[in-house]
Amino acid sequence: MIKVGHLSKSFAGTTVLADISTEIKKGEVIAIIGPSGTGKSTFLRCLNLLEQPSGGTIEIDGMDILDKKADIAKIRQKMNMVFQSFNLFSHLSVLDNLTLAPIRLKGMSTQDAQAKALELLRLVGLAEKADSYPDELSGGQKQRVAIARCLAMEPEIILFDEPTSALDPTMISEVLSVIRRLAKDGMTMAIVTHEMDFAKDVSNRVLYMDEGLIYEEGSPAQIFDNPQKEKTKAFINRIRSYHCRIGSPDYDLYAMNAEIEAFCEKQVLPKKTRDNLLLLVEELLQIYTPYLPAMAFEMTIAYSEKSGHLTLMCESAGGPFNPLDSGGLPDDFGLMIIKKLTESITYQFVDGKNRLELLMQKGPKNSPHLE
Amino acid sequence: MDFKTKNEAGTLIVSVGGRLDTVTAPEYEKQIRALIDGGNSRFVVDFARLDYISSAGLRGLLVMAKLLNAKDGKVCFANVNGNVRSVFEMSGFNDLFKIENSVSEALATLA
C-alpha cells in the first residue's frame, strides 16, 4: 500500500530523518515508538506531505507521491491524519466540522454528508454532541470528533500523531478505545504513540525509531518482550544509567560513591539498595585494581524502571579475561560478598571486549540487604 | 574512619567509626600494627560507630588477628550490627572470630 525508500528530511542542516525505508500493507496497524525528537512525527508528516522530504521515495499503490505532478489533495484523501492538538474548526459545529471536507472536496450532498457524519459520531459515541461547538467539548471528546472527521473522508489509511499526548490521563482511554475499534474493523493505521501498553496490544507491527532511522522493527512481542538492540532495550525497559571509566588504580572512590548516590537518589532507590550497590561497586573495583592501568574498564550501572532491576556492567578491552575467575584474588571475601549481592553473574567475550554483567539481588527475601 | 583507643585492665578497646574500606583500611592496619608492636596483645574492637565495611576492611581485621596470633594475643569483636553484621555474614567472617554483643561481654570473654 505504502512503500517508503531511503526517506530523509533535514531542517536547516539538522538531519531529523536519516534513512527510512519501510512498507505499510493494507490492514496493518503500525505503532511507531521511540524517544522524543527522533523524527517519528516528522516521518508521518512526510508521508502526508505536510513536510516535503529532503530525499527518498514514497509510493502509494505504486504511485510516486513526490512526483511534482502528484495530486496532493487526492493523496490526503487516501491518507488522512489525526493530530495531537485536534485541529478542529472552532467556529463550526461538530457536525459541520465533519461535513465540510466531504461536501467541498468529495462533492457529497449536504444530506448525505450529514447522514454519514451522524453515523460516524455514533461510532465514536458522540452523536448527541453533533450541534455542540469544539469549545464545549472535553479534550477526549474533541479528539474523538477529530477521528470521526478523519473517517468522514473515507481514507484508506489513517496516520495518528500522538493522539493522546495532549489529553488528561482520564480521557486517554476513551480515545484509545475508538482507535482499538478501528483496528478491529481492519483500518490501516500508523500510530505514533507514547502509550506503550496500547502500542503493544493494538498494533501488529512496531517500528522503534531512533537516530532518525527505523532502529529496530518487529512484532509487538519481539519489540516489547525481546528487543535485540541496545537502544531499543533501554527504551522499552525504561533504563536509566550511570557510566564511568576507571583507568587508574588511583581512582577516587568517594567521588564515585557520591555520583552513584546521586544517581540512586534520582531513581528514588531505597537506601538498602543504594548501600548494596556501593558495596558491590567497591568489591568489583578491588578485583579490577591489580590490572589497572593496563586494563582500563568501563562501568555502567543500569536501572530498569520497568522491572526494577539494577545491573552493573564492566567492559574491558584486550584478550579474553574474566577477573572473577583470575585466581589472582588475595582471598574469597570480596567474591563471596559479590555473589551474595547478585542474582546472576555472566561473563562474555564479545566483539573483542570482556563483558562482565552482574544482576543485583532485588527481593528482600533472598537479599542480604544492608540495614 | 576515626580510631579511638581506651585501656581497660590490660585490654585495649579500639573503637572504630565511619568507614572501613579500600581507602581507610591501610590506615587501620597501620595503627593496629603500631599498637601491637608497642606491646599490646589483648584487644576488643568495638564496631558500634562503624557505618560501612567492605572486604578491604575485613582484610585489615584479618591482618590484626594474624599479628596477634603470632604473639599469642587475643581479639574479640563487639557491637557488630547493621551493615557491618551483614557484610560479616555475607563473607563468612562471623565464623572466624569471637563476636560479642557488647564491649563488656567481649572483655569478659577475654578475661
Side-chain angles (χ1 to χ4, degrees):
Chain A
M1 188 173 185
I2 300 179
K3 202 171 178 182
V4 178
H6 305 292
L7 187 72
S8 62
K9 175 68 184 172
S10 301
F11 293 99
T14 303
T15 302
V16 178
L17 299 178
D19 184 1
I20 302 274
S21 295
T22 191
E23 212 171 324
I24 302 175
K25 297 194 176 85
K26 193 169 171 60
E28 270 196 313
V29 178
I30 310 281
I32 303 167
I33 62 169
S36 298
T38 49
K40 304 182 299 293
S41 295
T42 304
F43 174 47
L44 281 199
R45 293 173 68 83
C46 281
L47 287 182
N48 205 18
L49 297 180
L50 290 171
E51 298 289 352
Q52 188 64 32
S54 307
T57 58
I58 303 172
E59 287 178 19
I60 298 183
D61 296 331
M63 182 178 74
D64 179 7
I65 69 166
L66 299 180
D67 188 325
K68 281 178 186 159
K69 292 173 194 157
D71 183 345
I72 292 175
K74 207 158 196 175
I75 291 162
R76 289 196 184 130
Q77 282 179 31
K78 278 189 171 189
M79 186 164 50
N80 217 335
M81 190 152 171
V82 173
F83 302 88
Q84 58 176 284
S85 51
F86 328 126
N87 293 11
L88 297 174
F89 296 112
S90 59
H91 63 292
L92 296 179
S93 69
V94 165
L95 193 71
D96 290 344
N97 261 284
L98 263 71
T99 57
L100 184 70
I103 292 169
R104 293 230 180 138
L105 295 174
K106 294 189 97 172
M108 209 183 257
S109 71
T110 303
Q111 198 181 9
D112 287 351
Q114 285 183 343
K116 176 81 182 166
L118 282 169
E119 184 191 317
L120 291 169
L121 285 172
R122 271 191 287 276
L123 180 79
V124 298
L126 288 171
E128 63 172 8
K129 299 287 183 186
D131 296 324
S132 301
Y133 282 81
D135 288 347
E136 298 168 320
L137 305 178
S138 71
Q141 288 170 333
K142 282 182 199 170
Q143 193 58 298
R144 284 189 281 156
V145 169
I147 293 170
R149 183 180 63 174
C150 178
L151 291 168
M153 290 301 285
E154 299 175 322
E156 291 174 26
I157 177 168
I158 303 180
L159 310 175
F160 288 91
D161 186 11
E162 300 190 27
T164 59
S165 61
L167 301 178
D168 288 340
T170 53
M171 294 172 185
I172 289 173
S173 64
E174 64 188 78
V175 172
L176 295 186
S177 67
V178 167
I179 302 173
R180 276 197 180 91
R181 182 165 171 184
L182 295 175
K184 216 172 158 188
D185 292 345
M187 174 60 80
T188 310
M189 297 188 281
I191 308 164
V192 171
T193 184
H194 288 288
E195 299 287 334
M196 293 300 124
D197 290 339
F198 168 69
K200 189 178 178 180
D201 68 42
V202 79
S203 68
N204 36 40
R205 193 150 57 94
V206 181
L207 309 183
Y208 172 73
M209 284 185 65
D210 209 323
E211 301 173 347
L213 301 166
I214 295 174
Y215 184 81
E216 188 170 348
E217 70 173 286
S219 68
Q222 285 169 329
I223 297 295
F224 287 102
D225 300 334
N226 192 22
Q228 296 300 306
K229 293 185 164 181
E230 283 308 314
K231 286 193 172 181
T232 322
K233 284 182 194 172
F235 180 80
I236 296 296
N237 295 315
R238 300 196 295 278
I239 290 174
R240 305 285 175 261
S241 59
Y242 162 80
H243 182 82
C244 65
R245 185 175 188 278
I246 296 109
S248 153
D250 301 319
Y251 55 83
D252 185 342
L253 177 68
Y254 293 164
M256 200 181 294
N257 278 354
E259 287 176 7
I260 294 171
E261 283 188 47
F263 170 77
C264 291
E265 204 166 301
K266 208 171 168 187
Q267 314 312 322
V268 204
L269 298 180
K271 184 179 177 298
K272 285 178 183 178
T273 308
R274 184 197 71 189
D275 288 347
N276 280 346
L277 178 61
L278 290 172
L279 181 60
L280 181 62
V281 168
E282 191 192 331
E283 295 306 337
L284 276 168
L285 286 169
Q286 285 186 69
I287 285 172
Y288 273 94
T289 297
Y291 308 104
L292 295 169
M295 196 188 69
F297 71 103
E298 311 269 340
M299 186 173 72
T300 304
I301 296 168
Y303 172 66
S304 165
E305 284 181 15
K306 191 180 174 190
S307 66
H309 280 129
L310 254 176
T311 311
L312 209 150
M313 282 163 286
C314 296
E315 279 193 341
S316 57
F321 172 73
N322 179 358
L324 299 186
D325 287 344
S326 67
L329 308 173
D331 51 55
D332 286 341
F333 295 134
L335 198 54
M336 284 170 82
I337 292 170
I338 288 170
K339 284 182 177 171
K340 288 279 165 89
L341 290 171
T342 51
E343 268 182 39
S344 66
I345 301 173
T346 50
Y347 165 77
Q348 286 177 297
F349 184 70
V350 193
D351 300 332
K353 278 189 173 177
N354 294 287
R355 186 183 171 127
L356 194 61
E357 191 167 318
L358 302 100
L359 175 64
M360 281 194 68
Q361 288 275 11
K362 191 167 68 161
K365 262 187 186 173
N366 302 319
S367 172
H369 276 313
L370 302 182
E371 286 162 16
Chain B
M1 179 200 67
D2 77 285
F3 190 96
K4 291 176 187 166
T5 58
K6 189 171 91 175
N7 200 317
E8 188 132 343
T11 298
L12 207 60
I13 301 166
V14 174
S15 169
V16 56
R19 297 171 58 93
L20 202 48
D21 57 20
T22 317
V23 178
T24 58
E27 177 62 21
Y28 177 84
E29 270 185 50
K30 190 179 153 192
Q31 301 227 29
I32 288 292
R33 266 179 206 278
L35 290 169
I36 295 173
D37 289 347
N40 294 287
S41 60
R42 289 153 75 92
F43 285 82
V44 168
V45 184
D46 180 6
F47 293 98
R49 298 183 304 115
L50 193 69
D51 302 317
Y52 176 93
I53 191 165
S54 68
S55 66
L58 298 180
R59 280 182 208 106
L61 298 175
L62 205 61
V63 166
M64 176 188 193
K66 283 180 180 169
L67 290 172
L68 285 171
N69 268 346
K71 297 198 171 185
D72 282 333
K74 285 181 180 176
V75 63
C76 184
F77 297 157
N79 294 313
V80 181
N81 300 319
N83 287 351
V84 179
R85 179 167 284 277
S86 297
V87 175
F88 269 49
E89 288 169 358
M90 280 188 244
S91 58
F93 215 66
N94 49 342
D95 297 329
L96 302 178
F97 291 92
K98 280 182 197 161
I99 300 174
E100 298 295 345
N101 290 330
S102 65
V103 170
S104 56
E105 286 175 60
L107 285 168
T109 302
L110 292 180

